[in-house]
Amino acid sequence: MTRDLARLCLAFLFAWAQATPSVMLVDSYHAGYAWSQAWRSSLMTSLGGKVRFLYAELDSKRQPRDTLEPRAAQILVQIQRLQPDLVLVADDAALRFVGARLAGSKTPVVYLGINQNPRHYLQEHAANVTGVLERPLVRRNVSLMRQLVPGIQRVLLLFDNDLTSEVIQEELFGRASTLQDGKVQIDLVRAIDYADWQRQVSQAPGRYQAIWTGLYQTLRDASGKVVPDSEVIAWTAANSTLPLFAFWDFAVGADKAVGGLVLSGRDQGRLAAGLVQQILFQRRQPGSLFPLNGGSGQLLFSRGALQRFGLQLPPAWAGQVRLIE
């Protein structure tokens, strides 16, 4: 009886695997990264048992940039061997090094978390590709936070020197590192390493009235080792004498940034899941689905961080803000 039951279970699993569409998730980063955890969780919640997930990672936050091409080549071989029904590429590196190589093929491709204009990677319209864009809400963020910190005239946007940071600067600032938004000057600095990041934070007072922490997951110490992102944001929060704001929800917390108008990986995963469902279950062609904007952001703040910096939320924001400890 036990053997018969085991055979029955195996037969059921095999039949399920054969009938269930497979989706290959190609992550620019790695499973332990908070952003990746958020969009993956949202995607899986939305798609549930409807699809079978396969996984591949470029691990670009921790690995040198010159390893991306060979890692992408291995993933493309894996895709060719497994023949998934759809490939989902998350963030710019995955679209650039993997998704773009599948453009024009018979394999549907959905992207998410893309900061660059997708045409930059795809060169031309590809009928098998669509996805979700991600745009840090720089101008709106700064404009809103002026209500918390009156008198802001110049602010620092501090990023690491990763590919994504490079793309964000190019998309938002062009070849410049400064833009003027009304009465506020916005400077973007890409720190070359952890020591440079610390130096920028320490030297900001007197030049700026607030700091926005961008991406900081690829900063390396003097030995070349990647500094844990939790350590970077905790040090920044503890040592910044200026109010510290954020563009992404993973950077907000009692020992992190105060908050801001932030983007979430959960929204990216939810929107991408909707596109996947339309392609796999409604038989829509990816090229017929217009790329989606990743959302208008959410006002997210930490009670502890607000108290630490002596800031109070404007009464007019009541009902619009999500508060965490």
Side-chain angles (χ1 to χ4, degrees), residues 194 216 229-239 255-256:
Y194 189 39
Y216 46 87
D229 54 357
S230 58
E231 181 178 330
V232 175
I233 191 63
W235 181 93
T236 307
N239 289 273
D255 59 348
K256 300 179 181 180

Side-chain angles (χ1 to χ4, degrees), residues 31 33-45 249-250 264-270:
Y33 181 34
W35 173 263
S36 296
Q37 290 176 345
W39 70 254
R40 288 191 194 199
S41 175
S42 182
L43 192 76
M44 292 171 190
T45 298
D249 60 354
F250 56 71
S264 168
R266 292 188 300 275
D267 292 334
Q268 292 281 322
R270 175 179 53 80

Side-chain angles (χ1 to χ4, degrees), residues 26 28 58 68-69 72-73 75-76 79 87-112 114 116-130 163:
V26 181
S28 291
L58 284 173
L68 294 182
E69 283 278 12
I75 292 172
L76 287 165
I79 291 171
V87 174
L88 186 143
V89 291
D91 294 278
D92 287 76
L95 178 58
R96 174 179 174 181
F97 291 102
V98 177
R101 313 289 169 83
L102 299 173
S105 71
K106 294 182 180 180
T107 303
V109 176
V110 172
Y111 56 75
L112 65 79
I114 303 305
Q116 179 64 272
N117 187 327
R119 294 177 184 173
H120 181 84
Y121 303 124
L122 302 172
Q123 302 304 320
E124 58 185 32
H125 176 73
N128 67 316
V129 182
T130 189
L163 171 65

Side-chain angles (χ1 to χ4, degrees), residues 143-158:
S143 177
L144 285 167
M145 295 315 109
R146 290 184 69 198
Q147 299 180 45
L148 269 75
V149 187
I152 285 181
Q153 295 180 327
R154 190 181 183 190
V155 301
L156 171 64
L157 277 53
L158 190 54

Side-chain angles (χ1 to χ4, degrees), residues 192-255:
I192 59 174
D193 55 24
Y194 189 39
D196 187 28
W197 177 281
Q198 292 175 308
R199 183 165 50 251
Q200 296 293 338
V201 173
S202 299
Q203 295 178 354
R207 302 175 62 197
Y208 301 102
Q209 290 81 50
I211 299 175
W212 266 260
T213 178
L215 300 172
Y216 46 87
Q217 288 75 19
T218 66
L219 296 169
R220 297 178 182 270
D221 61 20
S223 67
K225 183 179 178 181
V226 174
V227 182
D229 54 357
S230 58
E231 181 178 330
V232 175
I233 191 63
W235 181 93
T236 307
N239 289 273
S240 175
T241 59
L242 299 178
L244 184 67
F245 298 109
F247 296 116
W248 288 277
D249 60 354
F250 56 71
V252 179
D255 59 348

